[in-house]
């Protein structure tokens, strides 16, 4: 069976779905590995490295492939080159990819979305959301330290003492915790806030202070946060204002699955920050946690520089690709039996991450969003009474008497 490693086509993408050092894992599973020329070039993985690892570097690999792996979903014009029944594995944002998913269904392609892999212990090694968030969180802290024109750590020298930078992190999921850990390692004094109750302990375990706003916590399902009401959001912003005004660097990483990023910090709050302070908004490309942040740009608000994240894992393509490739190898290992790609749809990891299969959309929320609710046969209307009916036996049919029994007597 042939696995194709596709060259990415998204603007600014630098990652690749397979790295040379993991090619051997796929050949061990029984696959022949085909790599599109230049697929790894922007992550510093040249074609020769793939060839040395046992892959075949070749153009026009899509029509031959049984499985195609990529970081971003293949665009429709490339998916149409695949054979009926081929499979694709990539990130596939189901809410914003309806046209592509419709194409994949109609082409008979089996597709798996890496962001849908259930976040259960058994599937941790396949969790690409976490692996890429780890990269993003680290990168955010490094960007903040790089933009800030002062030390992160405390320095006590013969020439005097330089105080450590004050860093505030909002949102303490995978990325936020990594931003906290990295800022701490660089010596900053870190405080963090998250709406989930469990986050306070996780923040403290990273050596940071958990900010307690004495607001109700917002737990959603699956360990995620719940959306805030506007009243709650306004109160949270008001209570966070003094912490942000005092910060040298603010890093925001808050998200709610399936929703636009919550607006945590207004431009007015940023305007109260000290001269030279820095804001890093990881959520800029999904609506922004900070009012006025722009994905991929540094803008000035008040006296602060505000950096907006745009495909942040792609800013560290080597490690991001390696972690992603390991996630893909783990998923493929689960889906391979005796050298054959044979996903078992009774396995919750397989069925949970599948989007299309056998000409159908099998991810139900996406199917309903695209195809609408399943039509239910309406129940037959009861015939209107003709007057010839048998007397009603109330012992057998105690409910919904079709007539007033007293009137009949
Ligand atoms: N395999 C696993 O079991 C597994 C793997 C990864 C993550 N998780 C858990 O999933 C959860 C979410 O992780 P994630 O990084 O994907 O989250 P995410 O990217 O969905 O959100 C990032 C963080 O933003 C926070 N947030 C949302 N609204 C906020 C607000 N208004 N103010 C402040 N913070 C806000 C969330 O609580 C979350 O911690 C965590 O509990 C994490 O530990 C579990």
């Amino acid at each position: 069976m042939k696995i194709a490693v596709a060259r990415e086509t998204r603007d600014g993408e630098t990652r690749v779905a397979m790295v040379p050092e993991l090619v051997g894992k796929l050949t061990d599973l029984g696959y022949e590995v085909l790599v599109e020329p230049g697929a790894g070039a922007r992550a510093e993985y040249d074609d020769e490295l793939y060839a040395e690892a046992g892959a075949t570097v070749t153009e026009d690999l899509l029509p031959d492939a049984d499985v195609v792996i990529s970081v971003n979903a293949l665009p429709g014009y490339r998916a149409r080159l695949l054979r009926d029944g081929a499979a694709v594995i990539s990130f596939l944002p189901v809410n914003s990819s309806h046209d592509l998913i419709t194409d994949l269904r109609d082409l008979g392609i089996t597709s798996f979305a890496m962001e849908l892999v259930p976040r259960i212990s058994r599937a941790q090694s396949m969790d690409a959301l976490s692996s890429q968030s780890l990269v993003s969180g680290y990168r955010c802290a490094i960007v903040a330290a790089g933009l800030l024109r002062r030390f992160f750590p405390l320095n006590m020298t013969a020439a005097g003492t330089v105080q450590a930078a004050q860093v505030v992190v909002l949102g303490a999921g995978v990325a936020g915790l990594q931003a906290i850990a990295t800022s701490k390692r660089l010596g900053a004094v870190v405080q963090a806030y998250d709406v989930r109750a469990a986050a306070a302990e996780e923040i403290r375990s990273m050596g940071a202070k958990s900010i307690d706003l004495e607001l109700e916590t917002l737990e959603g399902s699956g360990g995620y946060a719940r959306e805030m009401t506007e009243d709650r959001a306004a109160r949270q912003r008001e209570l966070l204002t003094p912490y942000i005004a005092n910060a040298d660097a603010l890093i925001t990483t808050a998200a709610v699955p399936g929703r636009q990023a919550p607006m945590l910090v207004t431009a007015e709050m940023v305007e109260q920050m000290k001269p030279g302070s820095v804001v890093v908004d990881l959520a800029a490309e999904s609506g922004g946690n900070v009012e006025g942040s722009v994905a991929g740009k540094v803008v000035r608000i008040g006296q602060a520089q505000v950096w907006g994240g745009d495909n942040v894992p792609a800013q560290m393509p080597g490690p991001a690709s390696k972690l992603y490739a390991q996630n893909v190898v783990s998923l493929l290992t689960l889906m391979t039996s005796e050298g054959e790609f044979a996903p078992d749809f009774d396995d919750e990891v397989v069925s949970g991450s599948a989007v299309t299969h056998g000409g159908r959309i099998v991810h139900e929320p996406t199917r309903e969003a695209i195809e609408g609710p399943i039509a239910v046969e309406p129940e037959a209307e009861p015939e209107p009474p003709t007057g010839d009916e048998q007397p009603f036996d109330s012992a057998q049919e105690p409910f919904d008497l079709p007539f007033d029994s007293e009137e009949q007597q």
Side-chain angles (χ1 to χ4, degrees), residues 31-103:
Y31 292 106
E32 185 183 339
V33 182
L34 311 177
V35 177
E36 209 163 11
R42 281 174 289 179
E44 270 85 59
Y45 298 117
D46 286 341
D47 292 347
E48 295 73 49
L49 295 173
Y50 288 98
E52 282 165 20
T56 306
V57 180
T58 173
E59 286 286 2
D60 304 325
L61 72 186
L62 295 179
D64 277 345
D66 297 294
V67 184
V68 181
I69 57 175
S70 55
V71 178
N72 302 283
L74 288 187
Y77 73 92
R78 302 246 289 157
R80 280 188 272 284
L81 298 173
L82 301 178
R83 64 164 181 76
D84 189 0
V88 290
I89 299 176
S90 68
F91 280 119
L92 176 52
V94 289
N95 291 335
S96 55
S97 310
H98 286 185
D99 288 349
L100 175 60
I101 291 168
T102 306
D103 282 352

Side-chain angles (χ1 to χ4, degrees), residues 119-120 124 127 130 171-174 193-196 223-225 228 236 253-257 262 264:
R119 292 179 115 176
I120 55 175
Q124 270 183 3
D127 184 352
S130 286
V174 180
Y193 175 71
D194 195 291
V195 289
R196 289 179 300 109
Y224 288 104
M228 299 187 281
Q236 179 175 311
T253 70
V256 177
L264 306 185

Side-chain angles (χ1 to χ4, degrees), residues 343-407:
D344 170 7
F345 284 85
D346 288 333
D347 183 307
E348 65 176 313
V349 176
V350 173
S351 58
S353 53
V355 180
T356 58
H357 179 57
R360 291 188 306 120
I361 300 171
V362 292
H363 182 247
E364 183 49 27
T366 305
R367 192 210 58 70
E368 185 162 350
I370 293 176
E371 298 174 354
I374 293 173
V376 180
E377 286 287 309
E379 279 188 26
E381 286 282 320
E383 292 289 319
T386 59
D388 299 338
E389 286 89 358
Q390 294 295 311
F392 183 74
D393 181 350
S394 60
Q396 281 183 14
E397 297 281 348
F399 306 115
D400 294 326
L401 296 181
F403 53 81
D404 181 343
S405 50
E406 267 181 28
E407 209 176 276

Side-chain angles (χ1 to χ4, degrees), residues 212-263:
D212 184 2
L213 301 181
E214 296 184 352
L215 291 172
E216 56 152 348
T217 54
L218 295 175
E219 317 284 342
S221 58
Y224 288 104
R226 190 154 45 87
E227 205 175 13
M228 299 187 281
T229 60
E230 191 36 50
D231 278 359
R232 165 71 162 71
R235 184 80 185 120
Q236 179 175 311
R237 288 195 287 264
E238 186 187 332
L239 293 171
L240 279 172
T241 297
Y243 293 94
I244 290 168
N246 191 42
D248 297 299
L250 167 67
I251 300 173
T252 63
T253 70
V256 177
R259 308 253 172 224
Q260 218 184 337
M263 172 60 64

